[in-house]
Amino acid sequence: MKKFLFLILMMLPIMAMGADIFRIKNATIKYDKQETLQVKRAIGDLQADAERVTGCRPTLSTKNVRGPQIIVGTYGKSPLIQKLIKQGVIKEADLKGKWESYVLTVTNEKEPRLVIAGSDTRGTIYGIYDISERMGVSPWYWWADVPVCKNPDVAIQISGDYFASGEPAVKYRGIFINDEDWGLKPWASNHFEKELGDIGPRTYAKVCELLLRLRANMLAPAMHSCTGAFYSHPESKVVCDSFGIIITTSHCEPLLLNNAAKSEWDSNRDGEWNYKTNRETIYKKWDDRLGEAAKYENIYTVAMRGVHDEGIRGNLPMSERVPLIEQVIRDQRELLEKHSVSRFARDIPQIFVPYKETMDIYENGLKVPDDITLVWVDDNYGYMKRVANPEEQKRSGRSGVYYHLSYLGAPHDYLWLNTTPPVLMYEELRKAYDNGADRYWLLNVGDIKPMELGMQTFFDMAWDINAFDFEKVYQHQAEFLARTFGHHTSQLSVLSSQLQIILDDYYRLAWSRKPEFMGWEYQWDDKAHTGLKPTEFSFEHYDEAQRRLADYQRISDEVERISSELRAESLEFATAFFELLQFPVQAACQMNRKFLMAQLNQLLAEKGRFSEANWAARQMEEAYDSINALNRRYNKQLNGKWDGMMALSTSFTNTCQFYQKPEVKRFEGAGEKAVLLTPLRGRSAIDCKVIDLQNCQHASEGTRIVHGLGYDGKVVQFGDPSKESEDGALEDIFYWFKSPNCDSVDIIVYTVPFWPLYKGKQNRVGVSVDDSPVQVFENKFKEYDRTWKDQVMRNGAVCRLRFAVNKNHPYHELRLAGDPGQMIQRVIIDWGGLRPSYIGPTI
């Protein structure tokens, strides 16, 4: 690492040619007394960050000083900033009337000065943390233990000497801490806030700092019944306010009231959570909550659901539900006006979340006031159920999104690892944004760890969605990791390429089946679909299971190699790498080994290959032990800093992954014989062919290849989902294929299981061969029906279509077309040889 620092220092004079630089060491941080408490607290973080890097703690001053100065101030509050505007150092237009914007500039005209000016409190805070990151303090220095490199001579250079951030793309950006039972709650209760025995103000202080460093501004606190309600610890709301973080709540917490917590709502004490029969009690609860919380900055959830994540109580017909919820909203807005300094409810930030049964109520005629933000939801598995239609896009309250990186619910939870591809996040969030969702983005992050990479991508997009396209978001996480762990600048591109390959395979393998789904069971389902089952990955056809095991082992070995190189230079960097990438990759590898080796054991036992079956059984045991060893390593590293974060509870979920071994058969006296599992790619397909989607003969102008999605790591997308073609024609793509002497072929098409954009839109894909009529597949399903469950578990919808062909023609033309935005991830041409497997042969 010393070599790295030496190279950086040697480059500084070159970098500085034609531009001013500002050296942090020995500088005074200067600000005005009238700055807000939140800005003053962030200035303290800047002081600490400078000390982390330089070893020297800057002096703070509100008076005139001489020498190098870091000037921090907020427009409209700071005379220092007004003076710099008059001097022409700062452009007033970059700050006046702007939301959460900031300016950075360096000037050495008289004395060296680094200026951080914000349009408002959070704008100034973001500017402060921008400088911290430029110094080398990662937003993840605490939550992912990214080390801060010592550099006494660190200097700040602003490109062009002046940087204006502009306003964020999305106004409100935050996280929802959810399903905290299995990580954050035991960690906080038994380790980080042991005295409190709960998630409380100390934890929330760390959460708020992370959010600000990621340029987020809101938090939906943990709200499961295992956790004390946010307002049951009064210091928590004070702490969040001291950071400048807005409190929002989940879809099931109207007006900041958490009815899942007994302290907030106890049916034995308070009666039924039913507004038709118990309005007075519920109304008073809301009144009391606003009495204590309205003086802070909040975003209020309006309407109501049932207790926690249940449907609305009362078993009312839809004809009664709609007017009842409209009455609820009227009463809630009356309370908001009563407790707010704003005279009108329209001036108070409010959201309505049409989640689960409230979507049905909304679509059956519920009238939501125009100023309330409609927050559209994904289906819990990363696919937006709908976005704003043209009429809804005209609303003054605009719209937003509630998106999941973690979920507990049917058909299966995924609480353990971050496996949502960044390209899918971009596709769905961009689609929502382009249709008006620029007001509010909330990300369900589960326990926060290990969702770091997904969070980084989400908040970078929320800040500046237009800085991204498919290619940039595809490379985003590899480049972030390369910047974090690059040994020296000349190797950044090499490391980024290595990390991209790892991430490509990590997300591709989890796309076809998440590690949490490898037990092949469904949760909260009928008897036929529950309980552990063999996977559908085939050991007998196309080396499908063998390829999966080999691919996981390869990237597991690769992260181990990179970790060893980091450890040789810095144990601290190796630890951070383990948290951010090594643990997820190796844990996913071992989870797949556990289930696939158990499956192999059963297969070999049926064939009477007993010694090989014994070997496979031992491999399953080793994988099981490896998962537990990885969890223990995570919990015990850094003297137990994260103790409990990966110690999942033996509760009603995840038992199959962590505490229940799949069944294996052992044969005494048979010994063990290893099985050769090296995939032989040359024998992948007979009498069938997988189309290489990249090698088309012709494609419409709007059709494109998108990398980072699909069973093979790439998909074809038919145009922009938010745009219609001018003449109404579908985008299309052509391929040539050769078939043997046959008079028909089957075309198997796998699509990405999107929902229609909104009512009136469709999910159609058209297929034709030669001059045959186009056959259309439209992916129709309902949430929680069997079709939808199967699709989200495998991230794909499949159709098989048969076409007559002229056997005298050796070559045939395959044409694919689709509604705007539709994605095809795999096409197989079968003339009678396709064998049973999960996703079929390779290209």
Side-chain angles (χ1 to χ4, degrees):
M1 196 55 65
K2 289 180 181 178
K3 186 187 221 178
F4 168 60
L5 295 179
F6 175 76
L7 285 170
I8 291 290
L9 294 174
M10 288 293 291
M11 290 177 65
L12 280 176
I14 300 172
M15 293 168 58
M17 289 178 63
D20 289 330
I21 64 169
F22 182 87
R23 298 189 184 278
I24 297 295
K25 190 174 182 180
N26 298 321
T28 298
I29 301 176
K30 185 179 176 182
Y31 63 97
D32 286 296
K33 291 181 179 179
Q34 54 266 52
E35 281 295 340
T36 62
L37 167 69
Q38 292 83 0
V39 167
K40 291 176 181 177
R41 193 214 56 77
I43 288 172
D45 281 350
L46 179 63
Q47 184 185 36
D49 289 345
E51 185 176 18
R52 288 185 178 101
V53 176
T54 68
C56 180
R57 192 172 184 84
T59 301
L60 304 182
S61 178
T62 58
K63 299 178 181 179
N64 290 328
V65 293
R66 301 185 69 84
Q69 300 168 35
I70 303 174
I71 298 174
V72 181
T74 305
Y75 180 83
K77 293 183 180 296
S78 170
L80 285 170
I81 299 305
Q82 292 303 129
K83 183 177 180 181
L84 292 172
I85 289 172
K86 289 181 180 179
Q87 292 173 350
V89 175
I90 298 173
K91 300 173 187 175
E92 186 173 29
D94 292 328
L95 300 175
K96 185 177 181 180
K98 301 294 185 181
W99 174 261
E100 296 183 346
S101 303
Y102 62 92
V103 165
L104 306 176
T105 187
V106 171
T107 174
N108 287 324
E109 291 179 3
K110 294 182 180 179
E111 294 176 313
R113 295 183 299 180
L114 168 61
V115 180
I116 307 170
S119 64
D120 50 27
T121 291
R122 279 188 294 270
T124 305
I125 292 171
Y126 296 147
I128 288 171
Y129 286 130
D130 187 325
I131 293 300
S132 290
E133 193 165 4
R134 291 171 190 249
M135 281 193 292
V137 181
S138 168
W140 298 99
Y141 82 96
W142 193 86
W143 277 97
D145 302 296
V146 175
V148 177
C149 294
K150 296 293 185 184
N151 184 359
D153 296 315
V154 67
I156 301 298
Q157 179 188 6
I158 309 298
S159 178
D161 293 336
Y162 188 90
F163 172 79
S165 71
E167 294 183 297
V170 178
K171 186 170 186 178
Y172 300 114
R173 313 163 304 282
I175 62 170
F176 175 26
I177 297 173
N178 193 28
D179 305 314
E180 69 276 9
D181 316 43
W182 295 277
L184 196 67
K185 165 66 176 180
W187 169 77
S189 298
N190 301 318
H191 179 66
F192 194 64
E193 292 195 79
K194 195 171 183 178
E195 301 80 5
L196 183 67
D198 204 353
I199 299 172
R202 189 168 178 231
T203 302
Y204 283 124
K206 291 296 186 183
V207 173
C208 289
E209 182 188 342
L210 172 65
L211 290 174
L212 291 174
R213 287 181 184 267
L214 292 173
R215 294 179 296 190
N217 60 12
M218 68 176 181
L219 168 68
M223 50 76 64
H224 271 205
S225 57
C226 67
T227 304
F230 179 73
Y231 290 98
S232 69
H233 305 307
E235 300 89 350
S236 292
K237 64 179 181 291
V238 176
V239 163
C240 292
D241 182 68
S242 73
F243 281 81
I245 289 295
I246 306 164
I247 296 300
T248 186
T249 52
S250 70
H251 51 88
C252 46
E253 298 173 88
L255 295 198
L256 309 178
L257 187 71
N258 175 5
N259 64 21
K262 292 290 186 182
S263 62
E264 305 260 286
W265 186 268
D266 186 339
S267 58
N268 293 326
R269 177 192 66 216
D270 303 313
E272 187 181 19
W273 181 259
N274 184 328
Y275 206 71
K276 182 177 180 179
T277 61
N278 199 11
R279 174 184 178 277
E280 186 177 338
T281 303
I282 297 172
Y283 188 93
K284 186 177 187 306
K285 290 277 186 180
W286 289 336
D287 195 10
D288 291 344
R289 174 49 42 79
L290 293 179
E292 67 172 304
K295 64 182 178 180
Y296 299 100
E297 195 174 3
N298 305 302
I299 300 172
Y300 299 96
T301 301
V302 299
M304 66 186 295
R305 299 191 64 218
V307 173
H308 193 186
D309 199 8
E310 297 176 2
I312 189 170
R313 294 294 178 90
N315 196 27
L316 300 173
M318 191 60 69
S319 59
E320 293 187 37
R321 290 187 181 196
V322 171
L324 178 65
I325 296 302
E326 287 178 349
Q327 180 63 50
V328 168
I329 295 174
R330 284 194 297 272
D331 290 349
Q332 290 170 334
R333 285 163 71 83
E334 175 185 275
L335 285 169
L336 288 172
E337 290 182 341
K338 171 184 174 182
H339 289 280
S340 174
V341 295
S342 299
R343 292 182 57 193
F344 302 107
R346 64 173 179 262
D347 300 321
I348 303 168
Q350 300 156 71
I351 59 171
F352 170 72
V353 189
Y355 187 69
K356 296 184 179 178
E357 84 287 345
T358 52
M359 174 75 86
D360 296 330
I361 297 172
Y362 176 74
E363 292 187 338
N364 274 274
L366 178 71
K367 303 299 182 187
V368 179
D370 193 67
D371 57 272
I372 295 175
T373 301
L374 300 177
V375 177
W376 306 114
V377 298
D378 69 336
D379 61 1
N380 306 308
Y381 294 86
Y383 300 102
M384 294 302 300
K385 290 180 64 177
R386 62 159 293 190
V387 299
N389 63 33
E391 281 303 309
E392 290 159 340
Q393 292 172 34
K394 299 174 184 176
R395 296 171 55 87
S396 62
R398 304 289 286 168
S399 65
V401 293
Y402 168 44
Y403 198 80
H404 289 75
L405 289 183
S406 171
Y407 179 63
L408 170 64
H412 203 293
D413 65 80
Y414 59 103
L415 303 171
W416 188 36
L417 301 177
N418 171 43
T419 52
T420 300
V423 177
L424 179 66
M425 289 173 60
Y426 171 76
E427 157 62 27
E428 294 298 88
L429 294 169
R430 178 90 223 195
K431 182 164 65 179
Y433 181 86
D434 286 344
N435 287 274
D438 59 4
R439 186 61 55 89
Y440 179 103
W441 280 18
L442 184 68
L443 183 67
N444 186 324
V445 297
D447 292 306
I448 297 179
K449 298 179 68 65
M451 302 297 162
E452 297 98 332
L453 291 181
M455 288 176 64
Q456 183 72 46
T457 300
F458 179 89
F459 285 116
D460 284 350
M461 287 193 298
W463 181 261
D464 187 3
I465 188 73
N466 291 319
F468 288 84
D469 55 24
F470 278 117
E471 190 63 23
K472 288 178 181 176
V473 77
Y474 168 64
Q475 299 169 349
H476 179 258
Q477 293 181 2
E479 291 177 351
F480 167 76
L481 289 169
R483 290 195 304 271
T484 302
F485 298 107
H487 291 213
H488 43 79
T489 55
S490 63
Q491 293 184 351
L492 278 179
S493 61
V494 174
L495 181 58
S496 181
S497 297
Q498 294 170 342
L499 292 166
Q500 188 69 60
I501 293 169
I502 294 168
L503 288 166
D504 283 353
D505 282 339
Y506 174 73
Y507 285 121
R508 175 180 59 81
L509 292 164
W511 176 264
S512 58
R513 205 74 178 186
K514 287 182 181 291
E516 294 92 337
F517 301 170
M518 285 298 294
W520 232 260
E521 85 290 12
Y522 288 65
Q523 294 173 323
W524 303 282
D525 211 312
D526 59 44
K527 187 176 181 180
H529 291 87
T530 53
L532 299 185
K533 297 173 177 59
T535 82
E536 293 176 18
F537 290 105
S538 176
F539 279 96
E540 298 183 292
H541 300 133
Y542 313 122
D543 286 344
E544 186 179 43
Q546 293 93 322
R547 283 188 283 111
R548 188 171 182 85
L549 287 166
D551 287 348
Y552 263 123
Q553 191 61 55
R554 177 171 44 76
I555 61 173
S556 178
D557 291 345
E558 183 66 3
V559 293
E560 187 68 39
R561 181 192 66 79
I562 295 173
S563 176
S564 296
E565 290 183 358
L566 289 171
R567 191 178 298 110
E569 192 165 348
S570 167
L571 178 60
E572 292 81 8
F573 271 91
T575 299
F577 183 76
F578 176 76
E579 292 179 41
L580 287 170
L581 189 62
Q582 184 180 357
F583 173 82
V585 167
Q586 294 185 329
C589 173
Q590 296 304 326
M591 188 63 71
N592 276 263
R593 283 190 66 234
K594 184 176 84 168
F595 284 109
L596 288 172
M597 287 301 180
Q599 178 179 325
L600 180 62
N601 164 268
Q602 298 286 339
L603 180 65
L604 294 169
E606 290 173 4
K607 294 183 175 183
R609 297 163 61 176
F610 301 137
S611 61
E612 292 171 308
N614 284 346
W615 175 84
R618 183 167 62 80
Q619 294 295 309
M620 183 279 292
E621 293 284 355
E622 289 180 0
Y624 176 87
D625 292 341
S626 294
I627 294 167
N628 291 325
L630 284 164
N631 284 342
R632 284 195 299 273
R633 178 179 172 184
Y634 201 111
N635 290 326
K636 300 305 178 184
Q637 64 186 350
L638 300 170
N639 297 315
K641 176 180 177 180
W642 299 114
D643 196 11
M645 187 62 77
M646 287 296 161
L648 298 185
S649 166
T650 54
S651 184
F652 59 89
T653 186
N654 271 319
T655 55
C656 62
Q657 280 87 22
F658 298 96
Y659 302 102
Q660 182 180 346
K661 298 178 184 178
E663 183 180 349
V664 293
K665 296 178 180 179
R666 295 177 175 85
F667 301 92
E668 291 188 14
E672 284 188 16
K673 181 181 178 182
V675 180
L676 181 64
L677 294 175
T678 303
L680 302 175
R681 296 181 183 272
R683 66 180 190 188
S684 64
I686 300 174
D687 292 336
C688 63
K689 177 181 178 59
V690 180
I691 292 291
D692 186 346
L693 297 176
Q694 289 191 132
N695 292 338
C696 67
Q697 277 67 49
H698 169 76
S700 297
E701 185 177 348
T703 300
R704 58 192 165 198
I705 297 292
V706 175
H707 292 274
L709 289 180
Y711 298 145
D712 299 307
K714 55 183 176 290
V715 300
V716 168
Q717 184 178 43
F718 296 112
D720 189 324
S722 299
K723 296 178 181 178
E724 298 282 3
S725 58
E726 291 183 7
D727 57 2
L730 299 182
E731 302 284 351
D732 54 22
I733 192 165
F734 294 87
Y735 298 91
W736 287 101
F737 68 92
K738 184 177 181 180
S739 68
N741 188 19
C742 59
D743 54 16
S744 68
V745 294
D746 284 1
I747 309 296
I748 300 102
V749 179
Y750 294 83
T751 63
V752 177
F754 293 127
W755 293 76
L757 202 62
Y758 45 76
K759 191 174 181 179
K761 294 290 187 177
Q762 295 174 290
N763 284 338
R764 296 172 302 165
V765 170
V767 184
S768 65
V769 175
D770 296 334
D771 296 324
S772 67
V774 175
Q775 295 188 47
V776 176
F777 166 63
E778 183 174 0
N779 188 19
K780 291 185 176 181
F781 53 85
K782 292 183 179 179
E783 194 170 19
Y784 298 108
D785 71 10
R786 182 60 56 198
T787 298
W788 173 79
K789 288 180 179 180
D790 290 344
Q791 288 184 6
V792 295
M793 293 282 276
R794 67 172 62 226
N795 275 318
V798 61
C799 70
R800 177 186 281 264
L801 305 169
R802 179 160 293 181
F803 294 88
V805 295
N806 188 334
K807 61 183 179 182
N808 295 320
H809 292 176
Y811 289 94
H812 304 280
E813 181 185 80
L814 169 65
R815 178 184 176 186
L816 305 168
D819 282 315
Q822 291 304 299
M823 288 182 173
I824 291 178
Q825 57 178 319
R826 182 170 263 211
V827 178
I828 300 176
I829 302 171
D830 178 23
W831 46 87
L834 188 63
R835 301 291 183 260
S837 65
Y838 185 51
I839 58 173
T842 58
I843 296 172

